[in-house]
Amino acid sequence: MTDQALLAQLQSAPDSALPELTARYAPLAAAIAGRILPGRPQDVEEVAADVLITLWRSAGTLDAATLRGFVITTARNLAIDRWRALRRRAEVPLFDGDGEDTAFLEQEVLGGVLADYIRTLSPPDGEIFLRHYLLLETAAEIGQRYGLTEAAVRSRLHRIRKLLQEEVPR
């Protein structure tokens, strides 16, 4: 069944379309959520289910050509929202700030040219970049950690992004 047929069936007969929808897109949504919520299988499962519900509710406005992208984006956004909620309740551990977190992120998450470039940034710019884009810390949280204003953190992030666009080959 094509995505277009799946969307049409989802609108006309949702009960018969849900098994196909689940088989096709739940694993993708779970995989994306699993990268953001490692070690939290119940949260991953709930995010995947929420993605399917969102897809079902939006079926009338979606385009079959962008359906996969919709699932990916929705899964990422819902997983980040869940991670932030868990973090506010102190249910997700944060790195302890002893330097091992930067090494872990460089080795496990970043690769090649980007990791090499981040190592060349003057402290604490590399750490600010990693904390914002990989640990999903807010500018206010990072500012508090490093004794900077939120505006200063945002300014540094903007400068780093501009440098990355110039320096790192695509």
Side-chain angles (χ1 to χ4, degrees), residues 80-116:
I80 288 171
D81 290 346
R82 174 64 51 95
W83 185 86
R84 286 180 176 150
L86 291 168
R87 195 165 136 227
R88 278 191 296 274
R89 295 189 314 244
E91 291 184 31
V92 222
L94 291 178
F95 293 103
D96 57 11
D98 63 1
E100 290 181 24
D101 50 352
T102 303
F104 166 79
L105 291 170
E106 287 178 357
Q107 292 171 2
E108 300 297 324
V109 179
L110 300 175
V113 177
L114 184 57
D116 292 341

Side-chain angles (χ1 to χ4, degrees), residues 3 16 27 48 55 79 100 112 115 139 159:
D3 282 347
S16 63
L55 198 150
E100 290 181 24
R159 187 179 71 240

Side-chain angles (χ1 to χ4, degrees), residues 74-151:
T74 304
R76 178 188 173 276
N77 292 341
L78 291 174
I80 288 171
D81 290 346
R82 174 64 51 95
W83 185 86
R84 286 180 176 150
L86 291 168
R87 195 165 136 227
R88 278 191 296 274
R89 295 189 314 244
E91 291 184 31
V92 222
L94 291 178
F95 293 103
D96 57 11
D98 63 1
E100 290 181 24
D101 50 352
T102 303
F104 166 79
L105 291 170
E106 287 178 357
Q107 292 171 2
E108 300 297 324
V109 179
L110 300 175
V113 177
L114 184 57
D116 292 341
Y117 179 75
I118 289 175
R119 282 188 211 103
T120 67
L121 294 173
S122 60
D125 288 350
E127 187 77 16
I128 287 171
F129 180 86
L130 293 174
R131 288 190 172 284
H132 184 70
Y133 289 106
L134 296 176
L135 297 179
L136 307 174
E137 289 184 10
T138 66
E141 292 168 330
I142 295 168
Q144 186 176 19
R145 175 183 295 275
Y146 292 104
L148 300 168
T149 65
E150 185 176 346

Side-chain angles (χ1 to χ4, degrees), residues 23-39:
R24 187 176 300 181
Y25 288 113
L28 175 61
I32 290 166
R35 305 241 335 145
I36 296 169
L37 299 162

